[in-house]
Amino acid sequence: MTILIEQPSLAESLVEEKNMHTKESNVLVLDGGFMTPEINAFGQSFRNYDVESERQKGVEEFYRLQHINQTYDFVKRMRKEYEKLDKAEMSIWECCELLNEVVDESDPDLDEPQIQHLLQSAEAIRKDYPNEDWLHLTALIHDLGKILLLPSFGELPQWAVVGDTFPLGCAFDESNIHHKYFKENPDYNRAAYNTKNGIYTEGCGLENVAMSWGHDDYMYMVAKKNDTTLPSAGLFIIRYHSFYPLHKEGAYTHLMNEEDVENLKWLKVFNKYDLYSKSKVLIDVEKVKPYYVSLIEKYFPAKLKW
């Protein structure tokens, strides 16, 4: 269950992350006032990829397929195909409703329809950071790219849509979940991709790095090409929120530029709500809908090309 309390200001929060145990609630207190549960909807610790269960076996098989099939050439083909934005024309909220049909097989923490995860994240952030409306909206839309799983958007396999993301064109860092399966990836033995920098230069900026293809990159592309007025940090969160090797493990930082460093601060704030707000306690969609529709109208056109 997600519990919220009042805590320090954003400025104070960004300086220090507090990990305080409280006997009464058995939760961890983090910056912004968000109190994170110690167990997920299945009674396990969050992002636990080792515990024995049928769901965990499915998650590992997902990562095996993802690590084998996500190559530099595959990513280039996908970006070329989907940057056409010729699959549909609809509003942001219409896309949110489409997510009722989607369940993420790579997620070991939740099996609820995706629209609930979006609203759980957004409402938790809204409580703690009421003045950052762009962050509320970013939380609402960050996973909309998962519509790639649906027939009208290509019905891509799960490994090409969800899961942790990682750079292609350079060595696969060992911090990636189930790293062992990269040995079967065709890029693993390509000399040009086998060094720390690979085809990139240190400090080149993540904008210039090819990431594994999926819902993050697709939604970033949709937002940017439809002229959203979300700030740079919002677009950064959308594109890299699944890049756990970076924001969780500190890998690949040598590729970042100064703007990336600043935006990463916001991504780390966001990530706590993205990960730990997953709950079996559902949000009343119709009750919160008017607020989020107003934010959509502020930052996006009425209809978007997808």
Side-chain angles (χ1 to χ4, degrees):
M1 176 178 176
T2 302
I3 308 172
L4 303 175
I5 63 171
E6 297 297 331
Q7 275 291 101
S9 67
L10 174 60
E12 294 170 328
S13 301
L14 289 175
V15 174
E16 179 182 25
E17 294 185 354
K18 300 179 180 178
N19 290 321
M20 293 168 41
H21 285 280
T22 59
K23 294 181 180 179
E24 294 81 5
S25 54
N26 193 34
V27 293
L28 296 177
V29 180
L30 295 173
D31 63 306
F34 184 74
M35 298 183 68
T36 66
E38 293 182 333
I39 59 175
N40 63 21
F42 299 104
Q44 306 293 339
S45 58
F46 283 87
R47 286 180 61 81
N48 187 334
Y49 293 91
D50 299 315
V51 64
E52 286 293 328
S53 72
E54 286 305 310
R55 185 165 181 81
Q56 293 297 338
K57 291 176 182 176
V59 170
E60 180 166 354
E61 174 61 11
F62 161 85
Y63 277 108
R64 187 185 73 82
L65 292 173
Q66 186 207 47
H67 291 356
I68 292 172
N69 291 291
Q70 288 273 3
T71 65
Y72 184 83
D73 290 341
F74 171 76
V75 168
K76 291 300 184 182
R77 290 199 308 273
M78 289 296 99
R79 286 190 63 84
K80 183 177 181 180
E81 168 62 26
Y82 281 93
E83 69 181 1
K84 299 173 185 176
L85 300 184
D86 60 357
K87 303 297 184 288
E89 187 170 330
M90 61 182 169
S91 69
I92 289 287
W93 190 261
E94 286 175 311
C95 188
C96 289
E97 292 178 332
L98 278 181
L99 287 198
N100 277 325
E101 304 173 36
V102 173
V103 173
D104 183 345
E105 292 179 2
S106 74
D107 191 342
D109 299 320
L110 190 66
D111 60 357
E112 296 292 344
Q114 290 298 300
I115 192 170
Q116 280 297 324
H117 167 53
L118 301 182
L119 288 171
Q120 287 170 349
S121 301
E123 284 293 280
I125 292 176
R126 181 182 176 190
K127 176 65 166 60
D128 287 348
Y129 302 119
N131 298 322
E132 308 294 340
D133 67 355
W134 65 269
L135 193 56
H136 313 165
L137 182 58
T138 297
L140 179 74
I141 70 173
H142 75 283
D143 273 350
L144 292 189
K146 291 180 181 180
I147 57 173
L148 291 175
L149 293 167
L150 303 177
S152 57
F153 294 88
E155 200 169 13
L156 296 182
Q158 290 263 338
W159 60 260
V161 180
V162 298
D164 289 9
T165 58
F166 47 86
L168 282 304
C170 60
F172 299 114
D173 191 90
E174 291 189 1
S175 64
N176 285 291
I177 295 297
H178 296 305
H179 177 272
K180 60 187 177 183
Y181 294 121
F182 283 121
K183 293 180 180 179
E184 299 178 60
N185 186 304
D187 288 355
Y188 189 82
N189 293 313
R190 294 187 64 175
Y193 303 159
N194 266 343
T195 63
K196 183 177 181 180
N197 288 334
I199 62 175
Y200 311 110
T201 57
E202 189 163 334
C204 65
L206 295 179
E207 171 70 24
N208 298 305
V209 174
M211 298 294 296
S212 54
W213 175 252
H215 72 281
D216 305 58
D217 219 20
Y218 175 59
M219 188 58 208
Y220 165 79
M221 186 185 297
V222 169
K224 193 166 185 179
K225 286 183 173 291
N226 281 281
D227 299 320
T228 181
T229 55
L230 282 174
S232 174
L235 290 171
F236 188 90
I237 288 169
I238 292 170
R239 194 175 197 185
Y240 302 112
H241 67 271
S242 300
F243 192 5
Y244 277 88
L246 173 71
H247 60 75
K248 180 70 172 178
E249 305 297 336
Y252 300 105
T253 55
H254 59 286
L255 299 175
M256 296 169 63
N257 60 23
E258 291 183 6
E259 184 177 10
D260 294 332
V261 172
E262 290 303 308
N263 285 335
L264 181 59
K265 296 175 183 177
W266 280 109
L267 176 52
K268 287 186 175 181
V269 168
F270 170 82
N271 176 248
K272 284 182 273 293
Y273 298 86
D274 181 25
L275 176 60
Y276 296 109
S277 64
K278 296 172 184 176
S279 169
K280 289 292 186 181
V281 179
L282 305 184
I283 302 294
D284 185 335
V285 178
E286 292 305 312
K287 182 178 180 180
V288 301
K289 179 178 176 179
Y291 174 70
Y292 290 101
V293 168
S294 72
L295 295 189
I296 292 168
E297 292 174 349
K298 179 178 178 180
Y299 289 101
F300 282 93
K303 295 285 185 179
L304 286 73
K305 293 181 179 180
W306 300 79

